[in-house]
Amino acid sequence: MRKRDFGAFVNHLAASCELFVPLDVGGMTLFSAIDSSDTCNGLGLENTTALPKRPLKELFFPQEEVLFAFDAGGGIETTEDTSAQPGGGVSPSGVVRVALGVRPCDARSLTILDLVFDAADYKDPYYVSRRRRTALVTFACSEPGMACFCTSVGGGPFDETGSDVVCADGGEEYVMWPLSAAGEGLLEGFAALREAGEEELEAVRKARAAAEARLAGNSVPVEKAVSKLGGAFDRPEWDDVHRKCLGCAACTYLCPTCHCFDIGDEATRTGGERVRNWDSCMFPLFTLHASGHNPRPSRKERFRQRIMHKFNYFVENHGTAACVGCGRCVENCPVNLDVRKVLEVFAAL
């Protein structure tokens, strides 16, 4: 597809689906709904600067959502359509939402969240319904950011995991390839597509090699750290690595795989609503018991929990780390507490 046809492709998607793209909203880049390419001008989706500051998970696991409403007469009304059936991938006929301009790390993060919200023994109908109805068009990263370390956790700048279509910079063209039936459905009927030539394919190969070479300098010893953390719960290193942490939870809120939440009932004029909100293991109230006891009374225990959960407990339970190496926690920590440096400390044990 010629780059000048990108706007037409946006309109092609917007004509049949609810379309989300990364937009700057009040200085914060996040996935937002658009109606046409007019809103998309100047996005520069091929640049890594368009990596949304807020993660893709918000489209599937909102920061706040009403699960259902109830009234004094015992009536209950579910506010979200949870009719999509769990099991299988995104069906072409079931796609009603498309996220365009997703980065490979964010697409991969959803496959990790699937392990929690779409597991064999537990399925969250709200999350599963949104997953079944949403297709992802991913832009490969030609210029990974300085904080990116996706290749250290199994991903890559051209990783296809979790995507329905991948789009890469092929010089004067975008080269796109579908990875699922839903992805094929998104490209179907768009007249500006043509078979990629050897020149465009070679440009993509060079861009991929350059991106992977750039990330080689960002390598983090994640695998070695994972192998050591199992016996590191009582290590004295925790006394030092946590000291800078403010407990603000910016790292967990911006992390595409963190998924702690709280549920409460809120009164309305005629009844009430059951509301789910994001929570964070970095907050002291998160583990405060009704008795007043808190098993994680200080920032040290809470910081240790975050690292251990991502790189030890989750690995033991699901066979993969709960991290995609997007670097958001590195770039947005107000005190520059770098998770890469923390992992290096434990990898060196």
Side-chain angles (χ1 to χ4, degrees):
M1 175 179 69
R2 293 171 299 185
K3 288 185 175 178
R4 67 187 185 191
D5 293 324
F6 181 70
F9 181 62
V10 170
N11 293 334
H12 167 76
L13 296 177
S16 59
C17 301
E18 188 178 11
L19 182 61
F20 296 85
V21 300
L23 289 181
D24 189 321
V25 180
M28 178 78 74
T29 315
L30 69 159
F31 279 90
S32 304
I34 64 169
D35 297 325
S36 71
S37 61
D38 293 340
T39 324
C40 211
N41 286 339
L43 272 180
L45 288 174
E46 73 278 14
N47 298 318
T48 53
T49 52
L51 173 68
K53 187 170 186 176
R54 284 172 36 178
L56 182 64
K57 70 179 179 183
E58 291 183 311
L59 292 186
F60 306 89
F61 172 46
Q63 187 169 2
E64 178 185 70
E65 67 176 321
V66 176
L67 301 178
F68 58 84
F70 52 88
D71 58 38
I76 294 179
E77 179 182 356
T78 302
T79 55
E80 176 75 16
D81 177 12
T82 58
S83 58
Q85 294 300 309
V90 180
S91 69
S93 60
V95 171
V96 296
R97 309 196 309 174
V98 173
L100 171 67
V102 175
R103 294 295 164 177
C105 53
D106 270 350
R108 186 181 186 85
S109 74
L110 294 182
T111 66
I112 293 175
L113 289 179
D114 288 347
L115 299 172
V116 178
F117 293 117
D118 195 9
D121 57 348
Y122 172 77
K123 295 187 184 297
D124 182 304
Y126 304 90
Y127 173 89
V128 170
S129 175
R130 295 178 184 122
R131 280 286 277 151
R132 296 288 177 265
R133 293 183 288 125
T134 309
L136 306 182
V137 180
T138 299
F139 270 62
C141 293
S142 299
E143 297 181 15
M146 294 299 295
C148 296
F149 58 102
C150 57
T151 52
S152 298
V153 287
F158 282 64
D159 184 22
E160 299 176 345
T161 305
S163 300
D164 294 291
V165 176
V166 171
C167 179
D169 192 341
E172 299 298 322
E173 313 268 342
Y174 285 132
V175 177
M176 311 177 77
W177 58 96
L179 298 164
S180 67
E184 292 175 355
L186 296 181
L187 302 183
E188 187 176 335
F190 184 55
L193 288 177
R194 64 174 181 81
E195 285 295 322
E198 183 55 34
E199 183 178 350
E200 290 88 23
L201 294 176
E202 180 60 19
V204 170
R205 284 192 287 267
K206 287 183 177 178
R208 177 171 186 162
E212 291 176 347
R214 178 169 175 163
L215 281 171
N218 295 9
S219 179
V220 180
V222 175
E223 188 173 345
K224 197 167 185 180
V226 167
S227 70
K228 300 293 184 66
L229 281 169
F233 188 85
D234 293 318
R235 292 287 305 192
E237 284 78 6
W238 296 112
D239 294 331
D240 293 325
V241 297
H242 86 281
R243 288 188 184 280
K244 288 170 57 178
C245 181
L246 301 175
C248 67
C251 53
T252 58
Y253 275 24
L254 297 177
C255 174
T257 67
C258 278
H259 50 269
C260 293
F261 62 83
D262 191 16
I263 291 178
D265 289 347
E266 298 180 359
T268 63
R269 187 175 60 85
T270 58
E273 293 176 337
R274 182 147 298 175
V275 182
R276 174 161 65 180
N277 298 286
W278 288 1
D279 206 338
S280 172
C281 59
M282 304 305 289
F283 294 149
L285 289 179
F286 185 71
T287 48
L288 181 63
H289 296 180
S291 66
H293 171 66
N294 194 333
R296 300 177 200 144
S298 76
R299 292 194 187 111
K300 171 189 169 182
E301 289 84 10
R302 295 192 285 274
F303 182 82
R304 178 176 61 190
Q305 165 63 22
R306 174 170 171 260
I307 300 298
M308 291 292 284
H309 180 242
K310 285 188 167 299
F311 299 101
N312 180 246
Y313 307 148
F314 206 88
V315 175
E316 290 182 349
N317 290 329
H318 301 292
T320 183
C323 173
V324 292
C326 67
R328 286 186 177 93
C329 62
V330 177
E331 291 185 335
N332 295 288
C333 177
V335 293
N336 297 319
L337 208 172
D338 192 331
V339 68
R340 300 171 300 181
K341 301 299 181 185
V342 175
L343 293 172
E344 288 175 358
V345 168
F346 289 98
L349 294 179

